[in-house]
Every structure is written in structure tokens, then in C-alpha cells.
Amino acid sequence: IIHHHLFSSKSAQTPVTNNYSTIKQQVHSLFQSVTLFLPRVVAFCGTIHVTTEYGFNTVSCEGPSMEPTIIDGSFTCVLIDKFSHRIFGLENNNDDDEHDSHDCSPTECCSDEQEFSNNDDNTTWLSLLKGVWEQHFASGLQRGDVIILHHPSKEATICKRIIGMPGDTIIRTDGGSRESNHRVKVSPGHLWIEGDNTLQSHDSRAYGDVPASLIIGKVVCRLWPLKDYASLGLDANGMEHWQRVRGRIGRGERPLPLKRNDGFEGSHVLKERNC
């Protein structure tokens, strides 16, 4: 009887020991998996954070203020670089920018701007890549750059084009102070920004020049939609015509209104030379 009792006790303890060994092996295997997997997860998350915070990121743009560069209602998503303005800072392109506004009004330089806009349609891949390199990998902020920045007076982000750099004298064609002859001088470390659609843009004409520290990044190109079109208006027969909008958003002058009957109230930089 005693021998049978001891044999029964050993038989009862064997499953418990086996279960304990199995659980121990599973915990050990799980620990090894975590130690191998966790560093990869941390490295992946760190790479994503560094890339989006200091490299490239995507931003959704809404509103009519940047038409016809960015069309309202098309759920436009643009790619921005967040490192070039941190590396190169503010650059004054007085000598290099051939398409800058001079001491004439924008309407007097329309022929040059229209020619510049038309030439963009014939851009080759080589010149396109060269332009991307020069703007985003070899230079800082300059006049003509389209930027994403924090709104100076509320919690929001805005997309505008740089019109004036620090030290530039801005001539406001939409009004301004008569005492200063409708001229404003951009403060050091600040930028004068305006939308391409000057009639529907709330920009520096309303809140003045903005600190360069508000800038998030420079716009590189449009990612979505893949193709976008802007309305040219109705012709004499009542048919509406459309023009394709370029995906590359480079450095340059504001495009003229596509509809000839639309007005223009944008500011420009005062220069000593003439058109």
C-alpha cells in the first residue's frame, strides 16, 4: 500500500514539473524575441521621427490663397523639406534672381513673368533635378520660395510665397500707409510673405512681416493629386477651358492670374534698376 502511494505521488508531480519547464521555455523564448525585436522597433521609430522632423514630411493644403499654384478643393498634399533653411538660413538673392520684382509694378513686368511661366512647361528631367538640388540641397531661404509656416497670430499652419527678405523695401500696390509712401521695410530676421492669389490671401499685408523662426519647411512638389487642373474661365462660346498645373513647386515669381479678368494686388520689392 505504501509503495503504491509513493508511486501515485510521483505520477502526480510529473505533469506539474513538465508544465513548469514548458512555461519557463516559453518565457525564455519570448524574452529572446523581445530583445531581438525591440531594438529594431526603436531604430525604426527613431528613423521615422528624424526623417519627418529634420528631413522630409508631407502637408495637406487647403484654401484658395495659393491658386493657381495649389488648387483649392483638390485635397492637395505637398512634400516639404525641413532641413535646408536650418542649414543655410536666410540668403539674399539680389544678384542671382533674374525674375525679381523691380521698382516697376507687377503689371509692367507681366510679359517676363508669363514667359517664365510658359518655359516651365518644357522643363527636362535634368534641369528639374538640378533645380531641386539647388533649391533644397544647396541654398537656404530666398525670394520666390513657397514655404509652410506657423501662423503668426493663431494655432494654424499656412502656405505662402516669400516676397521680401530682411532689409528689403516692399511697395504695397494694394494700399498701405500714405505717410510711408506705401512702403514697408522688412525687419531683420523677418520675411514678407504673400499668397499667389492676392485677392483671396490673408498674409503679410494684414499682419506684417513674420519671424523666420516660424518656418516649418520649403515646398518641393505636389504629391497628390497626381494631375491637377486650373480653370481658365469661359470662352466666347461659353465653354470652360482648363490648364494643367505643374507638380513641381519651385522658386520663382508668383504666376499671373490664369483668368485675364482677375485682378492683381500683390506687393513687390523696390529696386534701383528698372525693368
Side-chain angles (χ1 to χ4, degrees):
I1 297 176
I2 296 176
H3 177 72
H4 178 71
H5 178 72
L6 292 176
F7 180 78
S8 301
S9 300
K10 291 181 180 180
S11 300
Q13 291 176 359
T14 300
V16 176
T17 305
N18 293 337
N19 291 338
Y20 176 76
S21 300
T22 303
I23 295 174
K24 185 177 179 180
Q25 290 177 357
Q26 292 178 351
V27 170
H28 182 69
S29 177
L30 179 61
F31 180 77
Q32 286 183 333
S33 301
V34 170
T35 55
L36 293 175
F37 186 69
L38 184 60
R40 299 178 183 179
V41 173
V42 173
F44 176 78
C45 295
T47 302
I48 295 297
H49 172 74
V50 171
T51 301
T52 56
E53 186 67 23
Y54 303 102
F56 294 93
N57 202 354
T58 58
V59 177
S60 177
C61 296
E62 299 178 357
S65 66
M66 284 299 293
E67 291 184 342
T69 304
I70 298 176
I71 306 302
D72 184 29
S74 58
F75 304 99
T76 302
C77 178
V78 297
L79 177 70
I80 65 173
D81 89 76
K82 306 177 70 173
F83 56 88
S84 60
H85 68 284
R86 296 176 176 176
I87 297 175
F88 301 101
L90 303 177
E91 296 184 355
N92 199 328
N93 50 352
N94 288 331
D95 299 329
D96 299 332
D97 193 353
E98 298 179 356
H99 303 285
D100 253 337
S101 301
H102 299 173
D103 55 347
C104 56
S105 64
T107 55
E108 295 174 356
C109 298
C110 285
S111 59
D112 295 337
E113 292 181 0
Q114 189 64 40
E115 182 180 357
F116 175 76
S117 177
N118 292 336
N119 289 339
D120 281 350
D121 295 335
N122 300 322
T123 302
T124 62
W125 280 104
L126 182 61
S127 60
L128 180 65
L129 294 176
K130 181 181 178 182
V132 172
W133 175 266
E134 292 178 349
Q135 182 180 1
H136 301 281
F137 294 91
S139 64
L141 295 171
Q142 296 184 13
R143 284 192 296 273
D145 285 333
V146 178
I147 58 175
I148 302 293
L149 68 158
H150 298 286
H151 197 284
S153 58
K154 61 181 180 181
E155 293 185 3
T157 56
I158 54 178
C159 179
K160 304 295 178 184
R161 189 182 297 271
I162 298 178
I163 304 300
M165 301 293 290
D168 286 343
T169 300
I170 305 296
I171 298 181
R172 297 187 54 172
T173 58
D174 65 324
S177 175
R178 294 185 178 179
E179 298 178 356
S180 59
N181 197 20
H182 309 292
R183 299 181 181 183
V184 179
K185 187 155 188 174
V186 183
S187 306
H190 288 63
L191 299 170
W192 189 273
I193 58 173
E194 293 184 9
D196 290 350
N197 187 0
T198 58
L199 297 179
Q200 300 186 48
S201 176
H202 188 76
D203 43 43
S204 288
R205 294 171 295 173
Y207 43 72
D209 52 11
V210 299
S213 58
L214 296 178
I215 294 178
I216 300 174
K218 288 192 293 186
V219 177
V220 180
C221 63
R222 183 186 70 247
L223 297 178
W224 184 266
L226 300 179
K227 294 182 180 180
D228 208 358
Y229 296 87
S231 174
L232 298 176
L234 304 177
D235 58 13
N237 298 323
M239 296 186 62
E240 188 173 13
H241 294 268
W242 300 82
Q243 176 177 315
R244 183 175 176 179
V245 181
R246 295 188 63 226
R248 166 81 174 113
I249 303 177
R251 177 182 294 151
E253 280 288 340
R254 287 171 295 195
L256 296 176
L258 297 179
K259 299 179 182 179
R260 294 298 180 181
N261 56 345
D262 287 350
F264 183 89
E265 294 185 354
S267 307
H268 59 280
V269 179
L270 174 66
K271 290 206 174 176
E272 296 180 356
R273 54 184 177 175
N274 296 321
C275 289

